[in-house]
Amino acid sequence: MHLTTEAKKEIFKNFGGTETNTGSAEAQIAMFTERITHLTNHLKQHRQDFNTERSLVNLVGKRKRLLAYLRNKDIERYRAILKKLDLRK
């Protein structure tokens, strides 16, 4: 994984509230977004890497399901995470 432990803790602190709150929907969406960005940049250089492409599609699906859950659960948190991560919806 390209992220160090400190970088992950920083993401969880910014989006989950604390470094140990790794289960919140916002923290997981932020982590998925970071991984998606990394894999997208990797695939720009390595176009024939089909395993990474499959992993990317799976991550996008997971993030989409988590965003749908958050939208149904609490629309204000959903809008806040979209704005904070600069995601289109």
Side-chain angles (χ1 to χ4, degrees), residues 3-20:
L3 286 175
T4 62
T5 304
E6 293 79 27
K8 288 180 185 180
K9 285 183 180 180
E10 187 65 31
I11 289 173
F12 291 136
K13 185 177 179 183
N14 290 339
F15 293 96
T18 64
E19 293 177 354
T20 58

Side-chain angles (χ1 to χ4, degrees), residues 18-70:
T18 64
E19 293 177 354
T20 58
N21 189 6
T22 60
S24 72
E26 290 92 344
Q28 290 183 26
I29 291 168
M31 183 60 69
F32 286 153
T33 301
E34 184 67 31
R35 290 176 63 196
I36 287 168
T37 304
H38 175 71
L39 291 178
T40 302
N41 291 334
H42 171 80
L43 282 173
K44 287 180 182 177
Q45 295 176 351
H46 305 95
R47 296 178 189 269
Q48 297 296 318
D49 192 352
F50 297 114
N51 290 327
T52 301
E53 185 177 353
R54 184 173 188 274
S55 298
L56 177 64
V57 170
N58 285 336
L59 277 176
V60 170
K62 283 183 183 181
R63 184 179 71 178
K64 182 178 178 182
R65 285 190 300 273
L66 211 52
L67 282 168
Y69 164 78
L70 194 59

